Each structure stands twice: as C-alpha cells, then as structure tokens.
C-alpha cells in the first residue's frame, strides 16, 4: 500500500506571504503530482513561513531564515517520499 | 535617496490610498472610526507652528498598516496639521531601504516626519515596542492557560484543526482587547516625534 504524504505550508497572512506560498505550492504540485496526498495552506500570523512534510518541519523562517530554497525544499519532500 | 518636494508630491493622499486598496478597506475604515483622540493630544498637534509632512510606506495586506495608519489619518484629519503622503512599499524600495527595521526588515507601516524644508524630524516603524510586549505577555498567558495549544514556539500545523481555530480566535481576541491601549501608544509616540518641529 502506498503511504499518504501530506505537506503543510503555514504562512503569515498579515505579512503578505501569499505569493511565496502559492509559488512553493505550485512547485511541489508540479514536481510530485499525486505522490502527495494533500498540500495544506494555513494562513497564520507572526511572520510565519513554515513547511512540513508528514509532521516533520523541513523549513522554518524563524529557525532557518527566509522563505527557503525551493530546490532544497523539494529535495527534502522527495527524500521523505522515498523513505 | 532623499525626500524632496517633487517626490513627496508623488505620494497618495489618504483617500486616494483607500481608493486603490484591493483588500482590507473595511477593516481599515472600521479602525479609523474606533480611534479615540484625547483633547490634550489633539491640542498638541493643533499647536504645531506649521504643518508637518509625513511620508508613509504601506501595503494593504499588512495587519500593522490596517491597525496603525488610521491612527495617523485621524490625527491628520482632526488636527489639520499633518500633511500625509502614502507610498506603496513594494514600488518604492529606495525609500524602504532607508528605513529598514533593525537595519534588516521591511516592516511597515513606516511614518517619516519632515519639517517644511524636508529635514527629517524622526521616523516610526510598525508598532510601539510596548504593544509588542503587552501582546507577547498575553500570548504567553493564553498558552499557559490552554495546554492543548502546546508550546508557543511549536509549529501550529502540528495542532488539530479545531484546536488551531480556537487558538486563532484567542490570538485575534488579544488584538481586539489591546486595541485601545495600542492606539494610545501610537498617538503618544507620534506626538513625541511631530512636536520636535521648531517653533
């Protein structure tokens, strides 16, 4: 049975991070297609831009700075899917 | 980059800024109605010897702009002594680069006060530190009172959706409950800067 893999992107809606959120979501959709069971976008506040896959935080603006490198995030998601 | 008369005149007046907003205009105008200005504060602004020019950096998606720009707008309208021009942050990066928060962040709103010769009197960024402090304390109390919200530092996507919705409601309540205090602090800080104008 194929495992369901879920990505969550939590972004600060008060900071106008929608474009970066949508760009990343689109990149993940195009890269992984139906291999992801869900990409959840969570509007939040406080300067948040967190990306997790199956509950594991793979990028955090607070922890890592910035929006993260899309290639690196895709690699981290891909590694999770292959595990 | 320096602000001169020609650049200043390119900024939007408050009503024109509101006209070009693509979102949150209802929230901005509701906040504008809620601002309470004391007679003492208004008298201090009305007593300015000459109108003070204020350059604003803003965007309509920013919560701190929606909260604090109306305070400045009401001070301008009710005192008649602040001449406000608004510039969109993302179209005016040369101005933004000069007023980065902590030399690093493009925080808005930015209010820059100038005398009639365009000499800077001072500037103000985002929100008062006292407001950030009070809200952080309230946030800490909420997490302490609700173990189901987990750690304040943990990613919120780890919370169940219903818990996350309840946490969001509590956080919105903090904004609401502290709004009066926040507006008063904004007025206090803006008054301190504007009254630096020479008699």
């Amino acid at each position: 049975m194929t495992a369901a893999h879920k990505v969550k992107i939590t972004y600060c809606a008060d900071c106008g991070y929608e474009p970066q959120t949508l760009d990343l979501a689109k990149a993940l959709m195009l890269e992984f297609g139906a291999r992801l069971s869900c990409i959840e976008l969570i509007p939040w506040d406080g300067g948040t831009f967190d990306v997790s896959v199956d509950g594991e935080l793979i990028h955090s603006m607070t922890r890592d700075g910035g929006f993260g490198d899309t290639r690196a995030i895709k690699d981290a998601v891909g590694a999770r899917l292959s595990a | 980059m320096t602000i001169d008369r020609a650049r200043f005149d390119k900024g939007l007046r408050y009503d024109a800024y509101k006209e070009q907003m693509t979102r949150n205009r209802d929230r901005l105008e509701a906040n504008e109605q809620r601002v309470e200005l004391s007679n003492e504060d208004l008298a201090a602004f009305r007593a300015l010897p000459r109108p003070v020019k204020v350059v604003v950096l803003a965007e309509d998606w920013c919560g701190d702009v929606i909260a604090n720009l109306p305070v400045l707008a009401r001070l301008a309208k009710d005192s008649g002594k602040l001449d406000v021009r608004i510039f969109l942050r993302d179209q005016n990066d040369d101005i933004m680069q000069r007023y980065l928060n902590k030399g690093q962040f493009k925080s808005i709103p930015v209010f820059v006060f100038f005398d009639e010769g365009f000499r800077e009197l001072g500037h103000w960024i985002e929100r008062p530190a006292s407001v950030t402090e009070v809200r952080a304390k309230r946030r800490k109390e909420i997490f302490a009172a609700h173990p189901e919200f987990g750690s304040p530092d943990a990613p919120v996507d780890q919370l169940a959706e219903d818990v996350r919705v309840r946490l969001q409601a509590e956080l919105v309540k903090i904004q609401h409950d502290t709004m009066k205090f926040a507006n008063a602090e904004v007025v206090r800080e803006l008054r301190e800067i504007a009254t630096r104008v020479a008699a």
Side-chain angles (χ1 to χ4, degrees):
Chain A
M1 188 180 118
T2 305
H5 295 287
K6 186 175 202 175
V7 169
K8 295 183 182 181
I9 306 173
T10 310
Y11 65 96
C12 177
D14 266 355
C15 308
Y17 291 168
E18 289 88 349
Q20 293 85 353
T21 305
L22 293 172
D23 286 349
L24 179 60
K26 182 179 178 183
L28 296 174
M29 289 162 75
L30 294 175
E31 180 83 11
F32 299 109
R35 294 164 66 199
L36 292 175
S37 65
C38 170
I39 300 175
E40 185 177 356
L41 309 182
I42 304 172
W44 203 247
D45 61 10
T48 306
F49 192 81
D50 290 346
V51 185
S52 70
V53 54
D54 298 339
E56 181 190 345
L57 193 63
I58 58 172
H59 176 77
S60 165
M61 182 176 275
T62 310
R63 184 188 67 188
D64 309 317
F67 293 101
D69 175 65
T70 301
R71 182 72 258 167
I73 291 173
K74 284 200 287 192
D75 287 348
V77 173
R80 184 80 194 187
L81 267 57
S82 304
Chain B
M1 188 283 315
T2 54
I3 295 286
D4 57 15
R5 162 63 71 182
R7 185 70 184 274
F8 183 78
D9 286 343
K10 287 181 180 167
L12 298 166
R13 293 178 188 274
Y14 185 58
D15 284 344
Y17 172 78
K18 289 202 289 188
E19 284 300 320
Q20 63 78 53
M21 290 179 79
T22 60
R23 52 182 155 171
N24 293 324
R25 182 172 175 173
D26 54 339
R27 286 174 59 202
L28 183 94
E29 291 183 330
N31 289 340
E32 198 179 316
Q33 296 300 317
R34 275 195 285 262
V35 173
E36 294 175 10
L37 302 174
S38 72
N39 289 336
E40 188 198 340
D41 284 324
L42 269 181
F45 280 90
R46 285 176 178 150
L48 292 173
R50 288 171 300 282
V52 169
K53 300 175 192 317
V54 189
V55 165
V56 174
L57 286 170
E59 290 287 348
D60 60 11
W61 41 256
C62 176
D64 286 300
V65 169
I66 303 307
N68 297 327
L69 178 56
V71 180
L72 178 73
R74 279 289 306 279
L75 283 169
K77 183 182 173 192
D78 293 6
S79 74
K81 284 295 180 70
L82 300 179
D83 189 5
V84 176
R85 294 292 189 282
I86 302 169
F87 296 80
L88 301 183
R89 183 193 76 168
D90 295 341
Q91 295 175 20
N92 293 275
D93 197 53
D94 60 327
I95 304 177
M96 186 69 256
Q97 289 299 326
R98 185 164 175 168
Y99 297 102
L100 294 173
N101 191 4
K102 298 171 186 159
Q104 192 177 359
F105 305 110
K106 295 183 177 182
S107 307
I108 47 177
V110 174
F111 303 154
V112 193
F113 292 73
F114 295 94
D115 69 10
E116 60 186 353
F118 286 95
R119 286 175 289 268
E120 185 179 328
L121 300 169
H123 63 273
W124 186 94
I125 301 175
E126 195 175 31
R127 79 180 80 90
S130 56
V131 174
T132 302
E133 192 179 323
V134 163
R135 289 178 177 162
K137 183 169 176 287
R138 283 284 305 275
R139 187 180 174 103
K140 201 172 169 184
E141 289 167 356
I142 284 169
F143 276 89
H146 296 272
E148 71 274 22
F149 292 159
S151 162
D153 301 321
V156 293
D157 71 359
Q158 293 177 5
L159 299 175
E161 191 171 350
D162 62 321
V163 177
R164 200 166 67 220
V165 168
R166 278 189 281 124
L167 171 58
Q168 180 70 299
E170 291 286 349
L171 298 179
V172 168
K173 191 168 182 296
I174 293 177
Q175 302 288 325
H176 183 265
D177 291 349
T178 56
M179 183 180 292
K180 195 170 178 179
F181 166 74
N183 286 350
E185 285 292 278
V186 173
V187 171
R188 183 181 64 76
E189 293 192 351
L190 299 187
R191 176 177 163 179
E192 195 278 320
I193 298 171
T195 52
R196 289 176 194 163
V197 67

